[in-house]
Amino acid sequence: MTMPDKQQTAMALEDLLELMARLRGPDGCPWDKAQSFESIVPHTLEEAYEVAETIEQQQWQALPGELGDLLFQVVFYCQLGAEQGQFDFASVATQLVTKLKQRHPHIYGDSRLTTPDSRNAEQALSQWEALKTQEREKRQQYSLMDDIPLALPALTRANKIQKRAASVGFDWQILAPVVAKVHEEIEEVMAEVEQTEVDYQRVLDEMGDLLFATVNLARHLKVNPEQALRHANRKFSERFRSVETQVAQSQRGFDEHSLDELEAYWVRAKQE
């Protein structure tokens, strides 16, 4: 596949922006015309997850279509902004280019990384974080926690919170205490559920601490917790479908099987 030239790219983008304007125009699509910033947010999140799933499953032929669906969300927001006289696609792209150039002074500015390899990933990331800190201070956001979106999935937000804290040295440097913390949190959960009168708010708190500690373990192992859990969800679902098939083949219902029988089906599903 040959790379499109700048003229082809510009024409494709112009076609997309014109299509979006028409969908929102007087003779456009009733559904598109009824949407607002707030109403399309769920669709944006859904499209982003579909891109992530397509990449994880390495469905490269399907990826352009999924990326197109996600790009359409950005174009939709830009059309709404233009209609309200707030911003348009050009202003969004211009602001993005300006910000990225500012965050890459080792490429676009006078700053240079100290190693011979100017693409040294760790130094580039450190420089990026320092510049983001300066931007937060300009917005009078002095805590590292200030601009972490509340709407992020909980595992992703926990991971981001921990990375921010680690960026200033608030982190364990070896794995042993990280693992010990997970065991400690499990014990605290069990201590609560074994009470004569269980306080479910305290169980909720302790389970939250356990999940947070587990995210910390994943981070130290350089595993993305959200990605790992999506993989586990998919793996469980596939194996459970196999169990359902085996139950159906037995011509007996789930309630007619013992747990040992279902466990045997599960083991067979894992082997398959």
Side-chain angles (χ1 to χ4, degrees):
M1 179 180 177
T2 58
M3 296 294 291
D5 58 28
K6 290 184 178 180
Q7 185 176 5
Q8 289 177 310
T9 301
M11 290 174 61
L13 180 57
E14 184 177 352
D15 288 344
L16 177 58
L17 295 175
E18 288 180 357
L19 181 149
M20 183 72 254
R22 183 172 181 183
L23 290 177
R24 290 278 297 179
D27 299 323
C29 171
W31 186 90
D32 290 295
K33 290 164 64 176
Q35 302 311 305
S36 65
F37 284 109
E38 294 79 9
S39 68
I40 62 174
V41 167
H43 301 285
T44 306
L45 296 174
E46 181 180 337
E47 297 299 349
Y49 280 118
E50 289 182 3
V51 167
E53 183 174 354
T54 301
I55 292 172
E56 287 172 5
Q57 295 183 358
Q58 298 186 1
Q59 296 177 346
W60 307 124
Q61 291 184 335
L63 186 56
E66 297 298 344
L67 288 171
D69 293 341
L70 183 57
L71 175 59
F72 182 72
Q73 301 299 306
V74 176
V75 171
F76 209 137
Y77 289 118
C78 291
Q79 178 63 31
L80 294 173
E83 291 170 7
Q84 298 178 18
Q86 298 184 40
F87 59 86
D88 58 13
F89 188 89
S91 60
V92 169
T94 299
Q95 185 176 4
L96 175 60
V97 169
T98 300
K99 180 171 65 176
L100 289 176
K101 285 183 176 181
Q102 290 173 344
R103 290 184 179 179
H104 293 82
H106 52 293
I107 298 175
Y108 293 100
D110 296 330
S111 175
R112 291 291 180 269
L113 300 179
T114 57
T115 62
D117 182 0
S118 62
R119 292 167 295 180
N120 181 281
E122 287 188 10
Q123 284 191 296
L125 180 59
S126 177
Q127 204 167 58
W128 175 281
E129 290 296 342
L131 289 166
K132 288 180 69 174
T133 298
Q134 294 175 13
E135 291 172 9
R136 283 194 292 270
E137 290 174 353
K138 288 180 181 179
R139 297 192 298 266
Q140 295 186 328
Q141 295 176 325
Y142 297 104
S143 171
L144 289 171
M145 304 292 117
D146 279 347
D147 64 340
I148 301 176
L150 291 170
L152 284 175
L155 289 178
T156 299
R157 189 163 189 269
N159 195 39
K160 200 170 188 68
I161 287 170
Q162 292 172 9
K163 284 183 176 180
R164 287 283 180 85
S167 70
V168 292
F170 193 75
D171 193 16
W172 280 301
Q173 299 305 308
I174 58 175
L175 192 60
V178 180
V179 175
K181 188 64 176 176
V182 173
H183 288 295
E184 176 188 327
E185 297 299 347
I186 292 174
E187 291 173 1
E188 291 182 3
V189 169
M190 296 310 299
E192 289 299 330
V193 299
E194 290 170 357
Q195 296 293 322
T196 304
E197 294 185 10
V198 177
D199 184 336
Y200 284 97
Q201 182 58 52
R202 291 187 61 84
V203 174
L204 177 70
D205 291 341
E206 296 299 346
M207 274 302 307
D209 292 343
L210 173 57
L211 291 170
F212 194 83
T214 304
V215 169
N216 198 31
L217 175 58
R219 183 175 60 84
H220 277 264
L221 295 174
K222 301 187 184 308
V223 171
N224 182 295
E226 194 77 33
Q227 186 178 29
L229 186 55
R230 284 200 303 269
H231 177 70
N233 289 341
R234 185 166 61 249
K235 183 168 61 175
F236 180 91
S237 297
E238 289 171 355
R239 290 174 178 174
F240 189 77
R241 288 190 184 98
S242 175
V243 172
E244 289 177 311
T245 299
Q246 293 176 74
V247 168
Q249 290 172 344
S250 74
Q251 298 184 338
R252 293 182 292 146
F254 268 90
D255 57 348
E256 298 175 277
H257 284 76
S258 68
L259 185 56
D260 287 341
E261 288 177 307
L262 295 176
E263 177 66 21
Y265 290 161
W266 179 263
V267 170
R268 188 180 303 165
K270 287 180 66 176
Q271 292 172 344
E272 290 172 356

